């Protein structure tokens, strides 16, 4: 069965490697002939640059017909492609998108998501939005609290882009250490006065452990989830029934199908100790750290494909290996030019 992974982040290469030796013939497409995910696939072709929306979807449908693709896991334009599932199905192609276009866009807009989030599942830090220097100052005044740091981030963004913890005064030691995710309140005001802002979040900075939970679900049913705690050398794979239950409820609440991720950070409990996980965001895509979770014995892409094709034996899914400390070594691979354009 021919499975196509379309233009996506580098972590897609790890998914392709995890599928080697399976019953699936692995295809990958990308607009960059030197991208690492192409080197990990058995068969590749290039995507045209600049196509978006329905134009991209129409091109992809035609490419699947030309190459005999039967299953597609899209990266680029996955939100818009959710509206094309029937057209792909009519052509004999199963298109695996995480959820409806509206649901995906809802999760992507962090301010909308937080307003709608059910805090009975997990609490959230105190937060508000701003889109100008004036509303930034108002937001700071409303959230400022003794011994609580504030942080900012865009309402839409990936991989901590635009995230900064605000310091009351500039910190030379922080600068010399190379702390990239901090800035002074004065610098933030200067920056936010310099031009038109997108919608931004201002939040209480929680000081406890940060966790990333990688999940795979099919039609709202959680198949497996791996909880990994960040910090120090590598990451710790934890046994956290509370976060697994949260993963089950998230899968059902949004009807998710695919590999997704949510982020938590511990905040104060009733005793004032930072032990209560708070929801930060849900990403309807594979995380950049999925490789760590796959080291815990979970083949995320294989579970997804087997569920989509109706051959998954749920009773035979291996358990998650917890208590592991996982790290990774970068590996260089040689990629031939002909393979990139085949």
């Amino acid at each position: 069965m021919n499975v196509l992974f379309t233009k996506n982040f580098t972590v897609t290469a790890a998914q392709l490697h995890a599928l080697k030796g399976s019953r699936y013939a692995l295809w990958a497409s990308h607009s960059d002939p030197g991208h690492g995910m192409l080197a990990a696939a058995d068969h590749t072709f290039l995507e045209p640059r600049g196509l978006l929306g329905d134009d991209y979807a129409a091109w992809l449908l035609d490419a699947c017909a030309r190459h005999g693709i039967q299953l597609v896991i899209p990266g680029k334009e996955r939100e818009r492609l959710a509206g094309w599932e029937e057209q792909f199905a009519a052509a004999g192609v199963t298109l695996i998108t995480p959820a409806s276009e509206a649901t995906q866009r809802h999760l992507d807009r962090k301010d909308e998501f937080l307003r709608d989030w059910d805090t009975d599942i997990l609490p959230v830090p105190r937060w508000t939005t701003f889109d100008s220097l004036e509303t930034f100052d108002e937001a700071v005044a409303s959230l400022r609290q003794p011994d609580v740091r504030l942080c900012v981030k865009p309402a839409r963004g990936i991989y901590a882009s635009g995230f900064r913890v605000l310091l009351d005064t500039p910190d030379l030691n922080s600068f010399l250490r190379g702390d990239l995710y901090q800035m002074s309140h004065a610098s933030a005001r200067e920056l936010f006065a310099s031009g038109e802002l997108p919608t931004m979040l201002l939040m209480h900075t929680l000081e406890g452990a940060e966790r990333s939970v990688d999940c795979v679900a099919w039609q709202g049913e959680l198949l497996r989830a791996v909880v990994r705690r960040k910090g120090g050398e590598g990451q710790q794979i934890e046994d956290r029934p509370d976060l697994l239950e949260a993963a089950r409820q998230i899968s059902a609440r949004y009807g998710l199908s695919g590999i997704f991720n949510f982020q938590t950070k511990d905040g104060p409990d009733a005793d004032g100790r930072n032990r209560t996980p708070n929801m930060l965001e849900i990403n309807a895509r594979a995380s950049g750290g999925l490789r760590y979770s796959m080291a815990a014995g979970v083949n995320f892409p294989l579970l997804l494909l087997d569920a989509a094709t109706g051959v998954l034996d749920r009773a035979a899914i291996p358990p998650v290996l917890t208590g592991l400390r996982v790290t990774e070594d970068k590996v260089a691979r040689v990629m031939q030019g002909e393979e990139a354009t085949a």
Side-chain angles (χ1 to χ4, degrees):
M1 183 171 287
N2 292 323
V3 178
L4 172 65
F5 288 75
T6 68
K7 182 178 180 178
N8 212 330
F9 299 114
T10 304
V11 69
T12 308
Q15 298 181 55
L16 288 161
H17 283 293
L19 290 168
K20 296 288 187 181
S22 70
R23 69 190 192 98
Y24 302 102
L26 306 177
W27 290 70
S29 61
H30 204 284
S31 59
D32 178 3
H35 197 275
M37 64 178 282
L38 297 181
D42 300 324
H43 313 280
T44 67
F45 56 91
L46 290 178
E47 298 188 8
R49 297 180 184 272
L51 279 185
L52 297 173
D54 289 336
D55 290 338
Y56 178 81
W59 169 84
L60 180 59
L61 181 57
D62 179 70
C64 289
R66 284 187 284 109
H67 294 286
I69 303 298
Q70 295 148 296
L71 278 158
V72 180
I73 300 181
K76 179 178 176 179
E77 293 290 338
R78 69 175 189 277
E79 296 94 344
R80 188 67 195 95
L81 283 166
W84 279 68
E85 288 185 359
E86 290 186 3
Q87 287 113 306
F88 276 75
V93 181
T94 299
L95 182 64
I96 303 176
T97 57
S100 69
E101 181 175 3
T103 295
Q104 291 184 72
R105 296 196 185 282
H106 173 72
L107 295 176
D108 196 39
R109 296 167 179 145
K110 297 177 178 62
D111 53 336
E112 292 183 13
F113 160 68
L114 288 172
R115 287 190 190 98
D116 178 69
W117 174 246
D118 182 358
T119 54
D120 288 337
I121 301 175
L122 289 174
V124 298
R126 286 189 62 196
W127 69 282
T128 189
T129 61
F130 65 93
D131 57 10
S132 66
L133 177 60
E134 180 182 3
T135 54
F136 170 68
D137 288 339
E138 293 170 355
V140 169
S142 69
L143 291 187
R144 191 182 292 279
Q145 186 175 316
D147 301 321
V148 175
R149 298 188 299 168
L150 300 177
C151 61
V152 297
K153 64 180 178 180
R156 300 188 69 182
I158 61 170
Y159 294 162
S161 58
F163 171 81
R164 294 294 186 275
V165 174
L166 299 181
L167 306 176
D168 289 335
T169 58
D171 185 345
L172 178 60
N173 289 331
S174 172
F175 172 76
L176 294 175
R177 286 196 307 267
D179 291 338
L180 300 178
Y181 298 119
Q182 296 184 352
M183 69 187 307
S184 70
H185 179 262
S187 296
R189 293 194 78 252
E190 182 179 2
L191 180 66
F192 298 149
S194 63
E196 185 176 350
L197 293 178
T199 300
M200 301 284 291
L201 303 185
L202 182 76
M203 307 182 79
H204 278 190
T205 301
L206 303 180
E207 306 294 350
E210 181 180 359
R211 292 178 177 84
S212 190
V213 186
D214 291 313
C215 312
V216 56
W218 182 249
Q219 297 179 344
E221 174 197 2
L222 181 70
L223 302 176
R224 275 294 182 268
V226 176
V227 180
R228 47 187 173 87
R229 178 165 52 85
K230 302 179 181 182
E233 181 66 28
Q235 299 189 17
Q236 184 77 25
I237 307 298
E238 294 187 324
D239 180 12
R240 290 296 301 259
D242 56 336
L243 294 179
L244 297 184
E245 175 58 27
R248 278 189 283 273
Q249 294 188 51
I250 290 167
S251 300
R253 178 180 177 87
Y254 299 107
L256 296 175
S257 290
I259 301 170
F260 70 95
N261 169 272
F262 66 97
Q263 306 279 330
T264 71
K265 200 162 189 199
D266 285 355
D269 57 16
D271 298 327
R273 301 174 65 181
N274 289 311
R275 297 183 299 189
T276 300
N278 280 238
M279 170 62 75
L280 298 180
E281 63 185 28
I282 299 173
N283 301 300
R285 55 170 173 78
S287 71
L290 184 68
R291 292 180 292 266
Y292 292 103
S293 290
M294 288 199 290
V298 179
N299 192 326
F300 287 83
L302 185 60
L303 292 180
L304 174 59
L305 291 174
D306 283 353
T309 55
V311 301
L312 180 64
D313 182 356
R314 285 160 173 75
I317 300 176
V320 178
L321 304 175
T322 59
L324 306 177
R325 190 76 182 175
V326 180
T327 188
E328 65 175 337
D329 298 315
K330 292 185 177 179
V331 177
R333 294 186 176 88
V334 175
M335 183 174 180
Q336 300 295 332
E338 290 182 356
E339 294 177 2
T341 57

